[in-house]
Amino acid sequence: MTVQRFSPESDLSLDDAMEDLVSAEDFLEFFDVPFDQTVVHINRLHIMQRYHDYLSQAPDLEELADEPRAAVYRQLLVRAYSDFVNSDAQTEKVLKVFKRNDPQSTFVPLDQLLG
């Protein structure tokens, strides 16, 4: 599927145009964000979760018209992607598995394993 970049001249609303976006690459192409495929391949879930987090922190986006809202969406996507260009998932701690303070300190005695 070829993703069309967002254009204010389009007949579709921003929400309608975004409906078919399913991958990190789709979002990056739609908002015309240059990206390194290797960075996206390794960090796609983390980038999209960080993007979601940034969107949820942005106030009153629904009240904006399509063009200014698309500009904010693009800016937040660039920020989310950039977080992983010079960092990694473990450092950024976006997903719950990386947010644990106590790294797997569960002890199971040998006799319980052999049982």
Side-chain angles (χ1 to χ4, degrees):
M1 177 177 96
T2 302
V3 174
Q4 297 294 322
R5 293 182 174 139
F6 175 71
S7 170
E9 292 83 31
S10 171
D11 292 337
L12 294 175
S13 71
L14 177 61
D15 292 331
D16 289 339
M18 289 178 59
E19 247 179 53
D20 293 331
L21 305 180
V22 293
S23 69
E25 290 89 347
D26 287 352
F27 279 86
L28 292 160
E29 289 173 10
F30 181 78
F31 288 110
D32 196 22
V33 177
F35 63 94
D36 178 341
Q37 183 59 51
T38 303
V39 172
V40 176
H41 180 73
I42 294 169
N43 298 294
R44 75 180 64 251
L45 293 176
H46 305 280
I47 292 167
M48 294 311 293
Q49 182 62 52
R50 178 64 56 88
Y51 182 47
H52 176 268
D53 294 346
Y54 287 155
L55 286 171
S56 67
Q57 295 167 5
D60 305 322
L61 286 175
E62 307 84 34
E63 296 176 13
L64 296 175
D66 282 357
E67 196 169 348
R69 190 162 42 105
V72 172
Y73 284 0
R74 183 183 190 284
Q75 177 187 23
L76 295 176
L77 183 58
V78 167
R79 185 174 165 201
Y81 169 75
S82 297
D83 289 347
F84 294 92
V85 171
N86 295 313
S87 190
D88 60 33
Q90 196 165 14
T91 303
E92 293 297 322
K93 298 186 186 318
V94 174
L95 299 179
K96 186 177 180 178
V97 69
F98 292 115
K99 291 182 181 180
R100 287 191 217 150
N101 291 335
D102 184 20
Q104 294 300 99
S105 62
T106 305
F107 177 76
V108 178
L110 186 58
D111 61 329
Q112 278 187 348
L113 291 174
L114 299 174

